[in-house]
Structure formats: C-alpha cells, structure tokens
Amino acid sequence: GRGTMLTHDDVLDEFRAAGALLEGHFILSSGLHSNRYLQCARVLMDPQRAARLCASLAETVRSRVGKGVDLVASPAMGGVIVGYEMGRQLGVPAIFFERVDGKLALRRGFSIPRGARVLMVEDIVTTGLSSRECIAGIAEEGGVTVGAACLVDRSGGKADLGVPLAALTVLEIP
C-alpha cells in the first residue's frame, strides 16, 4: 500500500546515507556540468536500500503506468541493477540492452515477445537521450513501451521520453 511511498527528502537521505550524493563540481556523461553528482551504484549496492527505493518506485509505476507491464528493459550499465530490482518488485522478468558498435542491442539470448508491454527502467534520466534510445530499441524488437521509470529525474521534469515517466524524485540540474 501507500506505506512504501518515500518523500523527496527520504530519497535524498537514502542517497546521502549511501555516500551517493556527492557535492562539488562534476561533468556529467551528457557533457553538462553540475554541483551535485548522484552515484546510483552506491545506493543500489545495499540490497535492502535498493528494495526500499524500488518498492516506492513500483508504487509510482502502478499509479502512473498501470498494472499491465510484461517485462522490464534497461540500458546497461546504469539500468541493470535498478531494472532487475524493478522486475522483482513488479513480478516480471528484467532484461537489458548493451552497447554494440555504438548502438543499444539485446544480447545474451534476451528477446522481447512481439506486442509485450515493456517498462523502460533507468537509474538517472538527465537529457533522456539514452532512455529514448532504449525505447527505440524496444520498438525495434517488437515491444510496446508503456512507460518509463527512474530513481532520479535530473531534467527537472523536462525530459520528454514520449511515454509517462515515473521518478522517485525530481532534481533540477543547476
């Protein structure tokens, strides 16, 4: 029920407690500069913390996207652990795309059944570029992206993925 929902401050407290909210000067993978860096891998290294965060995110997904999710798909590397845990919370399989010759592709015998309702899961959405790329890959494989989810939306809600985005918390990039 609603008991799993975390507030913005709860989420940032989890990041701080994990040593995952770093303050200083950082150049993000998008090329943007920021005074804050979120190292999601450090948050997810504690299975209990990952479960708490993803239980709350799964609630948000159920309210924003609905219950009709057949499969979770994520871009590697950042999406692998959060995607797995979201699959566990939603009771569906989780697969991931990997970069092959600069393009996201499925490997390891992963496939998406035609017409499968897919939730695209990332750790952090900044510009939304890798998310949109992953969503394009899902479509190429015959899946239908019914929504997206991430731990942190760093776009301040501005990233348009073409599908509803459920985020645990939203931060502006200064």
Side-chain angles (χ1 to χ4, degrees):
R2 302 274 311 161
T4 53
M5 290 302 277
L6 299 173
T7 67
H8 174 77
D9 289 335
D10 292 338
V11 174
L12 289 187
D13 285 347
E14 293 275 12
F15 271 77
R16 282 191 193 96
L21 178 58
L22 309 177
E23 318 270 347
H25 178 249
F26 305 94
I27 300 173
L28 308 177
S29 60
S30 59
L32 297 171
H33 294 241
S34 175
N35 61 0
R36 271 180 161 173
Y37 183 74
L38 295 161
Q39 182 45 271
C40 280
R42 282 197 59 91
V43 166
L44 298 166
M45 68 187 262
D46 176 342
Q48 272 74 38
R49 177 173 282 124
R52 276 196 303 278
L53 293 170
C54 290
S56 181
L57 185 53
E59 286 289 309
T60 308
V61 165
R62 286 185 195 100
S63 64
R64 297 244 10 228
V65 177
K67 291 191 168 61
V69 172
D70 302 318
L71 183 70
V72 166
S74 304
M77 186 60 214
V80 174
I81 295 171
V82 67
Y84 166 81
E85 182 58 26
M86 285 301 292
R88 196 178 76 84
Q89 296 283 346
L90 295 168
V92 299
I95 64 173
F96 52 87
F97 283 79
E98 295 171 82
R99 235 169 245 297
V100 181
D101 300 324
K103 186 180 182 313
L104 285 182
L106 290 179
R107 299 178 59 202
R108 304 171 198 279
F110 287 151
S111 64
I112 298 176
R114 183 152 299 285
R117 295 167 58 86
V118 182
L119 179 72
M120 193 287 304
V121 176
E122 278 248 56
D123 55 354
I124 298 189
V125 169
T126 302
T127 59
L129 189 64
S130 64
S131 300
R132 286 192 299 274
E133 200 180 341
C134 191
I135 289 166
I138 291 165
E140 271 174 43
E141 294 287 333
V144 178
T145 303
V146 292
C150 63
L151 294 176
V152 182
D153 175 1
R154 290 214 53 165
S155 77
K158 294 195 228 354
D160 180 11
L161 306 185
V163 296
L165 173 62
L168 257 190
T169 197
V170 177
L171 292 177
E172 286 284 358
I173 302 175

